């Protein structure tokens, strides 16, 4: 959605992809301009509602570019999930993340699950088990700023053992079927839990179909 735009438009014509990131990033001079140039948008409540409630009418002034829908990619696990990212393992932070489900219901937007296989293999990071000093420092900084201070370990310009460039790994993004929701300005808690369960089941189905011999480990959060 952020790089292979030509392939995306071939598979999903007239749907404009947007990748969401923390609103704090748009408060930093220069970084704000770079993110906007890359097509990123804020995941603030106001920004999401604005993007998800735009008209789908091809004749509407907002759709003069030929696109009639917006697809927003949101990394639900965020900074907490990033701290658990290590090659060869997939630990998802999703059980308590129901805000995106509530937003989908309020705007009447379908939820489409997606899983990027191999993404965890392009970078490692310094070992940070939950009881380590590094993890405690990362957790404190995350609580204060919303950003996890990760120390990535990749490859260099002329070596493949250490550096800050991503490793050469194949990434396969699998897109699931849409999960339709019933629009409601005041989402019912039971309905939110039901849709949230469907989201987790959909992700498990994608993972099982791609890696039948591996298990999805759901983070306790």
């Amino acid at each position: 959605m952020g790089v292979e735009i030509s392939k995306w438009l071939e598979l999903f014509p007239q749907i404009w992809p947007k990748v969401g990131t923390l609103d704090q990033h748009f408060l930093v001079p220069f970084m704000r301009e770079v993110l906007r140039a890359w097509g990123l948008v804020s995941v603030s409540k106001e920004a999401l509602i604005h993007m998800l409630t735009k008209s789908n009418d091809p004749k509407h002034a907002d759709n003069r570019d030929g696109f009639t829908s917006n697809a927003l990619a949101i990394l639900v696990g965020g900074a907490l999930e990033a701290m658990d990212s290590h090659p060869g393992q997939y630990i998802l932070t999703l059980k308590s993340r129901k805000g995106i489900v509530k937003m989908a219901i309020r705007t009447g937007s379908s939820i489409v699950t997606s899983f990027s296989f191999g993404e965890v293999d392009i970078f490692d990071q310094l070992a940070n088990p939950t009881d380590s000093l590094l993890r405690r420092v990362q957790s404190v900084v995350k609580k204060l700023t919303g950003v996890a201070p990760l120390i990535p370990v990749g490859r260099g310009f002329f070596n493949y053992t250490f550096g800050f460039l991503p490793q050469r790994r194949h990434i396969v993004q699998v897109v699931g079927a849409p999960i339709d929701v019933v629009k409601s300005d005041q989402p019912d808690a039971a309905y939110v839990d039901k849709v949230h369960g469907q989201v987790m089941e959909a992700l498990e189905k994608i993972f099982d179909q791609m890696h039948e011999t591996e298990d999805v480990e759901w983070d306790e959060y």
Side-chain angles (χ1 to χ4, degrees), residues 193-204:
D193 289 341
K194 176 184 176 182
V195 176
H196 184 258
Q198 292 176 327
V199 171
M200 291 199 296
E201 290 176 4
L203 280 172
E204 287 183 314

Side-chain angles (χ1 to χ4, degrees), residues 48 79 159 199:
L48 293 180
N159 71 83
V199 171

